[in-house]
């Protein structure tokens, strides 16, 4: 198996574009836990549904590998955005925009915990990245972070967020936009996104 | 609604709903059509997409359930690549996936070479691969054994195919005809038995991915055993398995030599923990040569 340090994601995607299924397998092995963790959170701990969502995303990448280009940023971020959208679509389809209570009560949705199954090298890399992202999130205003999390993890529109928080729609829109802009600036400083 | 219909601020608000997936699909489709007309808007969308994508990285990873890799590889084996397509934020606006074109074969297998919009007819479209073994000799040999009787009784049971496929692919979304090099062989029930299975394999490799459904519960001292059928000689044991409470089982067997050296698969019920030569009843069988 090819490790992360041997072949970059972008190189693997080049091979996937050429029809190299083992290259996709390497990407699957590399990111399935991250994708599954996200899907699990978004889908209220529904394991079969989360697995289906993740597999659908990887199959979509296989079927349409040209959908990704380096201009879209890091492969991992792009991949997770696919998982996110697939899960939000699933929630909408099933009219299950409300996640179970235990998830609601689990505190911050972005707390990190060790993934004992991951390759130690990958684990260090992922934990470091998570730490940086959390640090960036903690630097933006709590009100901005709150609306971003509601939009991201619940798939709520800005109107729905405004209704839930009992805040003017304009306020919510400003918080979302400013929050993302501030977050981007912070992530750029940390080298986690690029122009 | 597109950029030309709103102020920049309104448009950017809509963009965020679109990127977060909060926009209903039909509205998102309209928005995307307007969005892709302007390079500046595309660039802005990509900037936001990068940030939103990073949010997912902050979620702790989790270990998927057992067998996830096998299920993924099975889907991968039967899914061809399609034409390139564009999409900014994960294609949340994509129309519902079309029904996949599946190539599932009973008896001789067909290797799909090009994507098909709908299921192809079952056998005999002329796409069989040349048999690498002496088929006549193989048939002659098999007719002398009960294996041949079982194998010869393979019948096309279309409803069973789709039942098995539903099990393999769960939702079927995104799947299509068999990828070049891979074949899906339907293993048919024999006699009074009703179990079915599909084996996904590539003749040039060693691995056979076996997916079975409608398995009857077995007593604790019995197991299902998979067999590789050589053109000549005795069946080769290919591992044992039991069904889950829903009567399903997955099994990955790595053969000792490329699968083109065999002509089919069969399943028997044997005493646990399995045997080196079949003794129990044959419940499923199928050939691909």
């Amino acid at each position: 198996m090819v490790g992360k340090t041997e072949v970059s994601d972008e190189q693997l995607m080049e091979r996937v574009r050429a029809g190299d299924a083992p290259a996709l397998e390497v990407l699957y092995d590399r990111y399935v836990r991250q994708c599954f963790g996200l899907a699990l959170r978004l889908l209220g701990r529904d394991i079969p549904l989360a697995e289906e969502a993740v597999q659908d995303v990887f199959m979509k990448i296989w079927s349409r590998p040209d959908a990704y280009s380096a201009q879209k940023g890091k492969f991992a971020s792009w991949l997770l955005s696919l998982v996110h959208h697939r899960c939000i679509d699933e929630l909408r389809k099933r009219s299950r925009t409300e996640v179970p209570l235990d998830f609601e009560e689990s505190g911050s949705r972005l707390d990190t915990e060790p993934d004992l199954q991951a390759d130690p090298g990958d684990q260090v890399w992922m934990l470091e990245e998570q730490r940086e992202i959390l640090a960036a999130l903690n630097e933006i205003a709590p009100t901005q972070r709150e609306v971003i999390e509601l939009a991201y993890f619940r798939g709520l529109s800005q109107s729905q967020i405004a209704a839930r928080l009992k805040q003017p729609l304009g306020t919510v829109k400003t918080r979302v936009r400013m929050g993302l802009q501030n977050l981007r600036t912070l992530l750029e400083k940390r080298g986690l996104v690029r122009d | 609604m597109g950029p030309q219909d709103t102020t920049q601020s309104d448009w950017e608000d809509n963009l965020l709903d679109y990127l977060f997936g909060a926009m209903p699909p039909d509205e998102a489709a309209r928005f995307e059509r307007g969005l892709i007309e302007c390079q500046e808007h595309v660039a802005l969308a990509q900037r936001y997409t990068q940030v939103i994508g990073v949010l997912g990285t902050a979620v702790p990873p989790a270990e998927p359930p057992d067998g996830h890799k096998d299920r993924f590889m099975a889907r991968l084996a039967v899914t061809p690549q399609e034409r390139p397509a564009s999409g900014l934020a994960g294609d949340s606006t994509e129309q519902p996936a079309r029904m996949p074109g599946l190539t599932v074969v009973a008896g001789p297998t067909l290797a799909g070479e090009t994507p098909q919009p709908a299921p192809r007819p079952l056998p005999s479209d002329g796409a069989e691969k040349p048999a690498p073994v002496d088929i006549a000799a193989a048939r002659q040999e098999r007719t002398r054994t009960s294996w041949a009787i079982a194998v010869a009784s393979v019948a096309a049971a279309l409803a069973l195919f789709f039942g098995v496929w539903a099990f393999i692919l769960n939702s079927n979304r995104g799947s299509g005809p068999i990828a070049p090099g891979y074949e899906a062989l339907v293993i048919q029930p024999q006699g009074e038995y009703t179990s079915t299975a599909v084996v996904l394999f590539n003749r040039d490799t060693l691995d056979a991915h076996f997916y079975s459904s409608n398995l009857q519960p077995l007593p604790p001292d019995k197991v299902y055993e998979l067999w590789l059928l050589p053109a000549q000689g005795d069946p080769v044991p290919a591992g044992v398995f039991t069904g889950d409470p829903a009567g399903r089982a997955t099994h990955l067997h790595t053969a000792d030599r490329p699968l083109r050296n065999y002509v089919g698969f069969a399943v028997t019920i044997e005493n646990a923990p399995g045997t080196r030569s079949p003794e129990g009843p044959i419940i499923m069988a199928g050939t691909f040569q």
Side-chain angles (χ1 to χ4, degrees):
Chain A
M1 182 171 124
V2 181
K4 179 186 289 293
T5 55
E6 296 171 14
V7 184
S8 72
D9 297 340
E10 287 72 19
Q11 288 172 319
L12 287 168
M13 276 306 294
E14 283 296 326
R15 286 164 51 177
V16 171
R17 270 189 280 273
D20 184 351
L24 183 67
E25 186 180 353
V26 174
L27 287 168
Y28 180 86
D29 289 337
R30 192 174 283 180
Y31 290 112
V32 65
R33 290 175 188 81
Q34 188 69 53
C35 292
F36 187 71
L38 175 60
L40 213 51
R41 282 292 176 95
L42 289 165
L43 295 172
R45 302 288 175 193
D46 187 325
I47 291 173
L49 207 55
E51 181 186 344
E52 181 185 337
V54 171
Q55 290 201 359
D56 284 351
V57 166
F58 277 95
M59 294 316 303
K60 179 174 284 187
I61 291 172
W62 172 247
S63 298
R64 297 164 55 181
D66 285 323
Y68 174 73
S69 68
Q71 286 75 28
K72 293 184 176 178
K74 288 175 58 177
F75 172 80
S77 298
W78 177 76
L79 171 65
L80 290 169
S81 74
L82 294 185
V83 173
H84 174 258
H85 275 257
R86 173 66 178 76
C87 292
I88 295 298
D89 283 349
E90 188 67 37
L91 289 176
R92 183 187 296 112
K93 191 168 64 182
R94 297 182 178 225
S95 300
R96 284 178 43 191
T97 53
E98 295 301 321
V99 294
L101 194 59
D102 61 338
F103 173 64
E104 182 96 51
E105 292 175 342
S106 67
S108 171
R109 298 168 187 87
L110 296 174
D111 289 344
T112 59
E113 57 196 45
D115 173 18
L116 300 178
Q117 301 295 325
D119 173 82
D122 288 351
Q123 189 174 336
V124 170
W125 177 82
M126 284 188 291
L127 284 175
E128 176 61 16
E129 187 159 281
Q130 286 173 10
R131 192 187 64 76
E132 292 281 0
I133 294 166
L134 287 171
L137 278 164
N138 283 327
E139 286 185 42
I140 65 173
T143 51
Q144 294 174 359
R145 174 174 170 153
E146 179 182 38
V147 292
I148 289 172
E149 288 195 8
L150 283 171
Y152 187 79
F153 286 101
R154 300 295 182 83
L156 296 182
S157 68
Q158 294 169 98
S159 300
Q160 290 169 321
I161 294 170
R164 171 168 292 210
L165 298 180
K166 297 181 174 57
Q167 293 286 331
L169 177 57
T171 301
V172 168
K173 287 179 173 179
T174 301
R175 287 177 184 173
V176 171
R177 197 186 311 168
M178 293 303 297
L180 287 175
Q181 289 172 359
N182 291 338
L183 188 57
R184 181 180 177 90
T185 301
L186 293 165
L187 293 173
E188 281 178 345
K189 286 180 183 172
R190 289 169 166 81
L192 294 172
V193 299
R194 59 184 180 229
D195 270 325
Chain B
M1 185 181 295
Q4 70 277 18
D5 302 319
T6 60
T7 66
Q8 176 66 22
S9 177
D10 288 341
W11 180 82
E12 205 165 322
D13 292 337
N14 288 330
L15 172 66
L16 293 175
D17 275 347
Y18 165 76
L19 293 177
F20 276 119
M23 197 176 271
D26 53 343
E27 191 179 336
R30 283 196 301 275
F31 182 84
E32 185 169 298
R33 281 196 293 273
L35 166 63
I36 60 178
E37 291 172 2
C38 173
Q39 281 303 311
E40 286 183 16
H41 285 128
V42 169
L44 181 61
Q46 288 179 348
R47 286 175 61 84
Y48 277 126
T49 300
Q50 287 178 10
V51 180
I52 293 169
V54 165
L55 292 173
T57 311
V59 177
E63 184 66 17
D66 289 345
H68 71 95
K69 180 74 178 291
D70 285 344
R71 289 187 287 275
F72 171 68
M73 294 307 292
R75 289 186 65 177
L76 184 60
V78 297
T79 305
Q81 290 187 312
E82 297 173 6
R83 294 167 63 86
S86 62
L88 282 167
D91 297 331
S92 68
T93 60
E94 186 172 314
Q95 296 302 308
R98 62 176 168 75
M99 287 299 292
L102 277 177
T103 304
V104 183
V105 181
T109 52
L110 304 177
E113 296 296 332
T114 54
Q116 300 283 332
R120 284 199 283 171
L122 288 169
S124 304
D125 66 357
E128 290 98 333
K129 288 186 172 181
V133 296
D134 184 341
I135 297 175
R139 285 177 177 159
Q140 209 168 28
E141 171 70 19
R142 290 202 303 275
T143 52
R144 289 199 293 269
T145 68
S146 61
W147 290 95
I149 296 170
V151 168
S153 67
V154 171
L158 194 59
L160 290 172
F161 296 170
F162 289 110
V164 174
W165 271 112
F167 162 55
I168 294 172
L169 303 175
N170 290 325
S171 71
N172 273 342
R173 223 169 315 180
S175 61
I178 296 171
Y182 283 88
E183 303 173 51
L185 175 68
V186 176
I187 309 296
Q188 298 288 354
Q190 302 295 309
E192 68 198 75
Y193 297 98
T194 57
S195 306
T196 58
V198 169
V199 183
L200 297 176
F201 67 101
N202 181 327
R203 294 174 195 235
D204 297 325
T205 67
L206 305 178
D207 289 343
H209 300 261
F210 178 85
Y211 304 85
S212 185
S213 62
N214 209 25
L215 292 167
Q216 300 305 306
L218 293 177
D221 60 337
K222 297 287 185 183
V223 292
Y224 291 107
E225 185 153 7
L226 178 67
W227 302 91
L228 288 168
L229 307 181
Q232 296 184 18
D234 296 331
V236 175
V240 300
F241 57 92
T242 54
D244 67 13
R248 297 170 175 171
T250 63
H251 176 66
L252 170 63
H253 175 67
T254 302
D256 56 350
R257 51 189 179 146
L259 294 168
R260 64 170 57 259
N261 293 287
Y262 300 93
V263 297
F265 300 89
V267 175
T268 62
I269 297 175
E270 304 293 347
N271 291 324
T275 178
R276 299 302 299 171
S277 59
E279 297 167 356
I282 303 166
I283 66 163
M284 290 182 261
T287 59
F288 57 89
Q289 303 282 20

